[in-house]
Amino acid sequence: MDPLSSLLSGIRAEGSVVSHAVLKAPWSITFPDAAPLTMVSVLRGGGTLLLSDGTERAIGAGDTTIVKGPAPFRLADEPATVRRPHDAYEIHCFTGDAACADQELGGIHWGDSPEGATALIVGAYRASGHRHERLLRALPPVLVVAEDAEVCAWLEDSAADAARLSAGSQAMMDRLLDWALVCTLRTWFDRARDDAPGWYRGLSDPVLAPALHAFHRRPAESWTVASLAAQAGVSRALFARRFSELMGRPPLAYLTECRMDDAAALLADTDLSIASIAKTVGYADAFGFSNAFKRHKGLSPSTFRTTTAA
């Protein structure tokens, strides 16, 4: 499994709120969920994201935005709307013990197209476990990716079908939102270039990609710089130099970081013994693993597990 697929494995739209709306100004939507990720695709019209830190970000037709939690945020037709009378809505799914719920946003059904209206698809994503946290660290508070008109038309048709509550419509929208999240993140990382995380840039590098794929498929193997270079088919010196230039750290430092992140997720999300986790992430014994984990995370594995569960 490549790094992006692995990090996304704990994030799913399944069971989350999926809203589709055509809204006529003035309007605002509040997102109080603390969801790890919320995605908004603007099919027609537009609005302004209002983040909790005061940041404002305009989004228009064809834009897909991903907002990173847990801070609440708003989306309004324009910033001034929230200070005057308007139609106010809320989407919540993960707060308290509430079931996933939204409101019939705008009260306007698909197919009605009032002039000047904004059409949206909104999806909030659940996270199971802690594996996704490394991905979240690589993302800004909000990112925006422009889509072409054909993609928007296809999304709107799919949402319209789901709105009819036909058989399988919820599952279809869940899978659609999962697909859209992966595509949006890949597009953003591709366009970010040097600002994309090293683990993503390395996947498209002809020298590093074979070694990265080999390591992420078999993290428990006793990898060395020489064995990674052999996967890439280059000399040890060339591989180490290329890796440090592109990834911003030496090969073994990257491997250790990945192993510690994987170990943290296993400690938090499973009942595996520390010895079993040590072997899973490539350490011969629990003692060596515990020392390495404490150096990188500041806590022993057992203390980390207890603290995370608290």
Side-chain angles (χ1 to χ4, degrees):
M1 186 179 293
D2 66 83
L4 182 57
S5 297
S6 176
L7 296 175
L8 281 168
S9 63
I11 297 179
R12 284 288 182 271
E14 186 168 359
S16 73
V17 62
V18 180
S19 300
H20 33 75
V22 180
L23 304 166
K24 190 170 184 179
W27 54 266
S28 74
I29 307 172
T30 300
F31 300 82
D33 255 338
L37 294 174
T38 302
M39 187 170 66
V40 180
S41 291
V42 184
L43 308 176
R44 285 176 277 127
T48 301
L49 288 166
L50 307 172
L51 304 188
S52 59
D53 64 0
T55 299
E56 297 180 2
R57 183 71 180 269
I59 53 175
D63 287 341
T64 292
T65 182
I66 295 176
V67 182
K68 183 171 66 172
F73 66 97
R74 284 178 171 176
L75 177 64
D77 62 302
E78 60 177 69
T81 289
V82 298
R83 297 187 296 272
R84 62 193 184 200
H86 65 281
D87 291 329
Y89 307 99
E90 184 173 287
I91 293 178
H92 59 92
C93 187
F94 313 129
T95 51
D97 57 359
C100 295
D102 63 351
Q103 301 169 31
E104 188 62 35
L105 299 181
I108 303 170
H109 298 289
W110 290 98
D112 302 335
S113 299
E115 185 176 352
T118 292
L120 306 170
I121 295 179
V122 179
Y125 293 81
R126 288 186 183 276
S128 58
H130 294 73
R131 186 172 295 276
H132 67 287
E133 291 174 357
R134 189 159 169 249
L135 170 65
L136 297 187
R137 293 199 298 268
L139 300 179
V142 59
L143 62 88
V144 179
V145 171
E147 306 285 1
D148 59 37
E150 290 184 1
V151 171
C152 290
W154 181 72
L155 282 171
E156 187 163 5
D157 286 344
S158 299
D161 183 70
R164 289 191 285 269
L165 301 178
S166 54
S169 58
Q170 181 65 56
M172 181 187 74
M173 285 303 298
D174 286 344
R175 301 292 78 78
L176 174 64
L177 288 172
D178 286 340
W179 171 86
L181 177 65
V182 175
C183 290
T184 300
L185 288 175
R186 282 189 4 177
T187 300
W188 186 81
F189 282 142
D190 286 340
R191 294 175 183 175
R193 298 188 179 181
D194 291 344
D195 291 330
W199 50 261
Y200 188 85
R201 298 196 306 273
L203 292 174
S204 60
D205 182 80
V207 173
L208 302 189
L212 286 172
H213 281 293
F215 165 68
H216 284 285
R217 281 197 304 268
R218 305 188 304 277
E221 196 165 314
S222 299
W223 294 105
T224 64
V225 176
S227 63
L228 289 169
Q231 293 289 326
V234 298
S235 71
R236 182 184 183 281
L238 173 60
F239 178 81
R241 183 171 63 252
R242 179 65 178 167
F243 197 102
S244 295
E245 289 173 351
L246 192 62
M247 306 286 282
R249 73 209 75 178
L252 297 186
Y254 172 81
L255 266 59
T256 300
E257 179 183 317
C258 291
R259 283 168 168 159
M260 294 303 102
D261 283 342
D262 287 346
L266 290 170
L267 286 166
D269 303 334
T270 75
D271 294 325
L272 290 173
S273 69
I274 292 174
S276 295
I277 292 173
K279 291 181 179 179
T280 299
V281 298
Y283 284 80
D285 59 76
F287 181 76
F289 163 69
S290 296
N291 286 338
F293 190 89
K294 189 170 184 178
R295 282 198 303 272
H296 283 81
K297 299 296 184 182
L299 297 171
S300 68
S302 57
T303 302
F304 179 87
R305 171 171 271 170
T306 302
T307 303
T308 305

